[in-house]
Amino acid sequence: MRIGTTTVLSGLPDSARIETETFETLEVAFVTLPQAELAKGAVGSLRLTRLKRFLALERYGMWWCTPHFGASEAQAPPDVQYLLWQREDGRYGLLLPLIDGDLRSFLAGSDDGIRIGVQGAGPAGLPAEATLLAVAVGDDPYALSQLAVSAAARRLGTFRPRDQKRTPAFVDLFGWCTWDAFYRDLSHDKVLEGLQSFRAGGVEPRFMILDDGWQDADAKTMFLRSFRADTAKLPQGLDGLIAAVKDQYAVDIFGVWCTLQGYWNGVDPEGEIPREYEVVTNTAGSPKGEEPLTRHFVHPRDVHRFYQDWYSALRSCGVDMVKVDSQSSLMAFTNGKFGQVAAMRAYQQALQGATHVHFEGNLIHCMCNGTDVAYNMASSMVWRNSEDYYPHKLESHPNHVFLNALNAMWASTFSIPDWDMFWSGHQAGAFHAAARALSGGPVYVSDRPGQQNFDVLRKLCTSDGRVLRCEAPALPAADCLFTDCRQEPRLLKITNRNGPIGMLGLFNCRPPAEPAEVTDGLRPTDVPGLQGARFAVWCHEAKTLAVLKRTSRLSVALPPLGHEVVTLAPITQGFAALGLLDKYNGPAALTWHCVRDDGAFGAEVRDGGILGFYCEKEPSEVLVDGRAAKYAYEPTGLLTIRRKPGKPVTVILKP
């Protein structure tokens, strides 16, 4: 196959139809397979032209996504949903398996090359043909991913890319989830105790999620009985709890957890729900090989009404958002009864429609990392980007951050990736907090009452509980795209920006059982799109300031579970703004900053704290809110001003 003058891959069946479309500056080829090929279940023996190395994001289990690396097609894992490869000529190629009708495709490595797998046909059988693969090649891996997925969105018409959707309100607020605090053993009093402990520490959540354990569900069968709450745990009802929370604490957005099908095994066939909605029973296992299990779920043709009624009931109790779990389990519920993709589309349309009607789009998709969910996200925005955070498995923590960074290469094109909750008071709490601070996604913890680390929490948000968040999702640096930093002595580097200011997060993702320090380097060019010739470089953990030219290198050494957050601020006429130095993502607090016509440098900061600037020479005068102010100036060029948090601060530095 050729795209323009470039040969991209070989090995497609002769009967495949290839159509090339242009999206902005990118040509994308869409591959349509006829029924005879679809019936084989796996077709083609694709060879990636001039392959040097690849990143493959594999769906594992039914729910999650994980990166794999290799240098030959045979090394690709068995259920790939995104495959980016670097070519020997320095360019990049991309394969995107797609959905069409009742079908989803995936890629799988073999000794003969990469095969296109086909899954999900319903009882009506296979269609006459299906478009199941997008192929593109480009010079920039980040632009290639974004534009190719956007082209697929236009072609499929079932979802929208991230830049065409609205960010829900909860994403900009600091949050708390009850899951790792209480698991299912929650209660009215425990929730209030948790919120009181945050208040006592001086950092209050502005949104919260009441996780699994609150519903009227059978703990043995895992069936949902009704839309009501468990009155043994919430004797004042869900509405009583929410009223108490909102009356007494700073929570603006109250969320609840549920699963896509109601509860883990669906709805109770003897409960209230089958009286109002058509319910289907299925005892088949999933196409992924899980054991057969009896499940009951609302028929796809009735699920829109089901969701509108359910979420209307929740809204009447004061609920403002939902976290919807176990979404990809729908393939097990529907297997043999309905087409996998068509059923998921009906459920997603019902879920997203009801969420926008009743909760203004405040929704987290969870256990959902399949193309049948991703490519049906027409309006929803936030997608759990990795498997769970496991506080009791120390070895899981570097892996958790690594998975989120690499998975974001795909997920960031259609969603705001959610890196999950964490414990601030954990041994790895600061490691996770630094990653969340740069992630561009929601920041929320699951701390148990009295076990928070408030020094960590204060670094994440302003004094009014708003998260200091980059506007775009974090992505791995280019030299980490094809490197397994869990195995090789390299630091994971994640990149982001706050307007013109670059951000780098560096993480030692080697297993904690291997107590080896890792030394690596960073350059301003690690941040895609960062403009400037010279940069003021602030290292948050080391508390050091350096000046780097664009291609200069700074060495960083980190112990196991070590991290560093680096601000790279372009220097303009001898000045640069660093933001709040006592925050992980301090530049996110800058409202504006520039050199004025009179040569003075001005900035406004959203909150007080330790305000930091780079000044090549000590200013002749420093004004804070129009008045001469005390400051500290160091030989490195670092100028700091301390102000009590609570209101915005305007600073003028006169040369």
Side-chain angles (χ1 to χ4, degrees), residues 407-483:
N407 287 348
M409 281 299 292
W410 178 47
S412 66
T413 63
F414 56 82
S415 77
I416 294 175
D418 168 16
W419 291 35
D420 200 13
M421 65 194 95
F422 67 100
W423 278 354
S424 67
H426 191 275
Q427 175 182 346
F431 183 84
H432 282 282
R436 304 309 190 278
L438 297 189
S439 72
V443 178
Y444 57 117
V445 295
S446 54
D447 288 316
R448 293 172 175 170
Q451 297 186 18
Q452 302 94 329
N453 182 331
F454 285 98
D455 290 337
V456 167
L457 296 182
R458 275 187 284 270
K459 294 182 181 184
L460 291 167
C461 55
T462 53
S463 57
D464 63 354
R466 298 190 70 84
V467 170
L468 292 167
R469 186 177 70 87
C470 298
E471 290 186 3
L475 295 171
D479 62 356
C480 296
L481 284 176
F482 305 101
T483 302

Side-chain angles (χ1 to χ4, degrees), residues 234-434:
L234 304 181
Q236 298 179 38
L238 183 60
D239 54 344
L241 173 63
I242 295 173
V245 165
K246 291 184 177 180
D247 286 347
Q248 299 175 39
Y249 298 100
V251 173
D252 295 315
I253 296 178
F254 190 105
V256 296
W257 175 98
C258 57
T259 76
L260 185 67
Q261 306 81 15
Y263 203 56
W264 292 108
N265 290 332
V267 300
D268 188 342
E270 305 300 324
E272 296 179 8
I273 293 169
R275 302 173 197 167
E276 300 294 331
Y277 314 97
E278 183 178 356
V279 169
V280 179
T281 298
N282 195 358
T283 57
S286 82
K288 301 288 281 187
E290 279 72 15
E291 290 294 323
L293 181 68
T294 300
R295 300 175 173 94
H296 310 278
F297 62 104
V298 175
H299 195 292
R301 65 173 165 243
D302 226 4
V303 73
H304 288 78
R305 188 167 59 89
F306 169 74
Y307 263 101
Q308 287 293 336
D309 292 348
W310 187 12
Y311 283 8
S312 176
L314 292 178
R315 182 65 192 141
S316 70
C317 292
V319 172
D320 306 293
M321 72 171 288
V322 282
K323 171 188 171 186
V324 182
D325 221 334
S326 195
Q327 295 195 22
S328 291
S329 295
L330 189 65
M331 67 189 300
F333 280 77
T334 61
N335 188 29
K337 296 282 188 178
F338 305 100
Q340 174 185 338
V341 177
M344 181 62 81
R345 182 170 299 121
Y347 264 75
Q348 289 299 327
Q349 289 174 349
L351 166 65
Q352 293 171 46
T355 299
H356 275 267
V357 168
H358 300 290
F359 308 133
E360 298 183 332
N362 286 308
L363 163 67
I364 298 176
H365 291 268
C366 190
M367 295 179 69
C368 59
N369 293 169
T371 50
D372 53 340
V373 176
Y375 296 154
N376 279 303
M377 288 176 63
S379 61
S380 54
M381 189 63 145
V382 182
W383 150 291
R384 253 287 297 285
N385 194 42
S386 74
E387 65 176 307
D388 289 7
Y389 163 78
Y390 297 115
H392 303 294
K393 298 179 180 179
L394 187 62
E395 71 281 1
S396 73
H397 297 290
N399 185 58
H400 184 92
V401 169
F402 185 79
L403 292 186
N404 273 291
L406 274 295
N407 287 348
M409 281 299 292
W410 178 47
S412 66
T413 63
F414 56 82
S415 77
I416 294 175
D418 168 16
W419 291 35
D420 200 13
M421 65 194 95
F422 67 100
W423 278 354
S424 67
H426 191 275
Q427 175 182 346
F431 183 84
H432 282 282

Side-chain angles (χ1 to χ4, degrees), residues 588-610:
L590 292 164
T591 306
W592 58 265
H593 52 99
C594 65
V595 176
R596 304 191 314 182
D597 291 341
D598 62 359
F601 185 84
E604 184 180 69
V605 188
R606 286 164 46 189
D607 200 4
I610 304 175

Side-chain angles (χ1 to χ4, degrees), residues 619-654:
S620 62
E621 188 176 22
V622 175
L623 301 178
V624 175
D625 294 333
R627 297 181 179 181
K630 293 181 179 180
Y631 63 91
Y633 183 75
E634 300 178 10
T636 59
L638 178 65
L639 185 147
T640 55
I641 303 165
R642 293 177 181 267
R643 278 294 178 271
K644 184 178 180 180
K647 64 179 182 178
V649 180
T650 301
V651 177
I652 302 296
L653 308 175
K654 293 187 176 182

